[in-house]
Amino acid sequence: MQKRTSCTTILVGKDATVDGSTIIARNEDGYAPIGPKKFIVRAAKSEANGYFVSPTTGVKIPLPKEALRYTCEPSDESDHNLYEEAGINEKNVAMSATETTFTNQRFLGFDPLVDDGLNEEGMVNVVLPFINSAREGVKRLGSLIEKYGTGESNGIAFSDNQEIWYLETAGGHHWVAQRIPDDAYAIAPNQVNIQQIDFNDTADNFMWSSDLPEFVEKHNLNNSPEDFNFRNIVGTNSESDIYYNTPRSWYGQKLFSPEVKQAPTSREIPFIQHANRKLSVEDVEYFLSSHYQETEFDPFTNEKEFDKQTFRSIALDRNQISHILQIRNDVDPKYAAIEWVAMGFFAYSPYVPFYTNIETTPINYQKANSEVTMDSAYWMYKILSVLVEPHYHDFINQVNQYREICQSYALRRIDNVDNQIKQMLNESSDEDITDKLTAESIITADSITNKTKKLMQDLIKQSLNLSKITFESGDNL
């Protein structure tokens, strides 16, 4: 039985961003408040007759000989390296897997989930190291789903510098993918999101499993035969959806398309939307770290909401790691890709930028297990949330200022490193550029780590002074 998770995805086309970047981004939330995550680099390798074998489902998938280097965010502590979640490979192709969705019972009656298929745990492993474009990613993953099946319903995002694609699985063996228009953005909570499918538009905007139209017709799954609405045919339409899922889409569209009037519980909130301005990385960060600010549903400003939240918040204690995968078009491809990473509770944690043409990450980003330690970036940011939450109203202004300082510093660093690399392009080898980007990314991350530790020291001292368990001689006289 598929567990309910709480990820939130946002996708922004290149003509909808301020700098012409493509952006795919997602919060990876867990089943519980604790779910240690790492951020690492997998080296390129050449291995004939290699296989991916799932330790949980047993599926055995042959792999191409040549595997590209890629970044990833694994959570499994064993040697299996599972749940790698997201990353960018050395061809500047990004993948984020997965956004948990749910297939309705009627569709599952004719195409049930399988116990021995390809699930979220291994999707990045078997796809991202082997693709040269977002379109290739859709085709490879789609073919694997059709051949091996899956035991989960999921949404998976792919991007390169030109295109963004969003693939959603249905049942055990079916799927659809839609290209996000260049001038649009899309928000995906934990539900089937893709709507109208145009089966005549195979060249540019849609892909699907080979027998999907015939399968739906054969089993009478479409109650509106005049069109093909994938969300209605495949997705659930439960009461929990309108409180758990749709309000997140509503809030994102309220931020970026405020002229669109719709209720947070509407079942018709569109997947594809257009913003009233060009969107930036900072806009995406704000959305992914949001909790219905400036609305009656904010649990931090509404006492009733704090006790029992009406809607599922985007930022919450189940947050584990968040990524913004940015492929830029205004710089050389050798340093165009940036992975912004936040850990812990995203309303308090900054996003740290890493160039992805790198060989390794800081040591503290490579450490994450059950041991609580400040030597782990994951645990450091989790501890920060433990410090802030009990004194939210005392600390939040200082925390917001810290996050703004970190973001300004990050942007300055990117600009500075970009200029340095630009000077190196005609006189340095690819290896030298990779070494430089690796070193500079570590410097950036280490600096933000130090800023975080200084903030935490100050918050600890303030917390001690805020304790109500005090006694002064003379108080009882």
Side-chain angles (χ1 to χ4, degrees), residues 174-176 197 199 208-222 228:
H174 290 90
W175 59 274
V176 154
I197 305 299
F199 289 106
W208 54 86
S209 48
S210 56
D211 71 334
L212 180 64
E214 295 79 13
F215 178 86
V216 168
E217 182 177 4
K218 176 182 177 181
H219 297 291
N220 301 308
L221 298 175
N222 188 357
F228 196 99

Side-chain angles (χ1 to χ4, degrees), residues 441-475:
S441 293
I442 291 174
I443 289 171
T444 301
D446 285 350
S447 178
I448 293 178
T449 292
N450 290 334
K451 288 177 171 61
T452 305
K453 290 180 177 179
K454 289 179 181 178
L455 171 71
M456 293 172 70
Q457 290 178 17
D458 190 47
L459 296 183
I460 290 170
K461 294 174 183 177
Q462 290 184 59
S463 296
L464 291 170
N465 286 321
L466 289 171
S467 175
K468 295 180 180 180
I469 310 302
T470 62
F471 189 92
E472 296 289 342
S473 60
D475 280 355

Side-chain angles (χ1 to χ4, degrees), residues 54-93:
S54 168
T56 58
T57 72
V59 68
K60 184 176 182 181
I61 298 175
L63 300 175
K65 179 181 178 180
E66 303 298 330
L68 300 167
R69 184 188 68 227
Y70 65 103
T71 59
C72 61
E73 302 166 3
S75 57
D76 190 81
E77 297 176 31
S78 72
D79 294 331
H80 299 301
N81 299 320
L82 301 178
Y83 294 99
E84 293 191 329
E85 296 301 329
I88 302 175
N89 70 24
E90 61 184 283
K91 297 291 187 179
N92 290 347
V93 182

Side-chain angles (χ1 to χ4, degrees), residues 82-184:
L82 301 178
Y83 294 99
E84 293 191 329
E85 296 301 329
I88 302 175
N89 70 24
E90 61 184 283
K91 297 291 187 179
N92 290 347
V93 182
M95 178 181 181
S96 179
T98 67
E99 181 74 33
T100 300
T101 65
F102 298 88
T103 303
N104 65 51
Q105 58 192 4
R106 183 167 179 80
F107 198 101
L108 287 174
F110 300 103
D111 183 17
L113 300 173
V114 302
D115 294 328
D116 57 353
L118 174 61
N119 291 346
E120 172 186 0
E121 61 180 20
M123 286 183 178
V124 170
N125 307 61
V126 301
V127 175
L128 186 57
F130 310 107
I131 56 176
N132 296 283
S133 70
R135 207 174 272 260
E136 277 189 28
V138 171
K139 292 178 180 178
R140 176 167 174 78
L141 180 58
S143 66
L144 293 173
I145 295 295
E146 289 185 63
K147 182 173 182 178
Y148 297 99
T150 183
E152 304 165 338
S153 299
N154 281 305
I156 302 95
F158 296 92
S159 68
D160 50 38
N161 70 323
Q162 294 299 311
E163 296 186 337
I164 295 174
W165 285 85
Y166 192 66
L167 182 154
E168 291 185 316
T169 68
H173 301 86
H174 290 90
W175 59 274
V176 154
Q178 181 174 13
R179 183 175 185 259
I180 307 304
D182 294 341
D183 64 346

Side-chain angles (χ1 to χ4, degrees), residues 8 13 69 87 130 152 171 178-179 186 251 267 272 282 293 299 303 318 340 356 391 401 406 426 432 444 460:
T8 306
R69 184 188 68 227
F130 310 107
E152 304 165 338
Q178 181 174 13
R179 183 175 185 259
Y251 187 68
R267 299 179 189 272
I272 306 295
E282 289 75 31
Q293 294 97 309
E303 186 174 339
R318 267 58 179 171
W340 297 79
T356 58
H391 304 291
Q401 184 180 38
C406 290
N426 295 325
D432 288 341
T444 301
I460 290 170

Side-chain angles (χ1 to χ4, degrees), residues 317-365:
D317 67 349
R318 267 58 179 171
N319 293 155
Q320 307 300 341
I321 192 168
S322 182
H323 50 261
I324 301 172
L325 309 180
Q326 179 187 18
I327 314 295
R328 301 181 293 170
N329 278 298
D330 58 352
V331 298
D332 189 276
K334 292 177 182 177
Y335 59 105
I338 296 176
E339 187 162 347
W340 297 79
V341 177
M343 293 179 171
F345 187 23
F346 310 138
Y348 311 144
S349 303
Y351 281 80
V352 181
F354 293 87
Y355 291 91
T356 58
N357 182 12
I358 56 178
E359 294 289 349
T360 190
T361 59
I363 296 299
N364 62 329
Y365 279 81

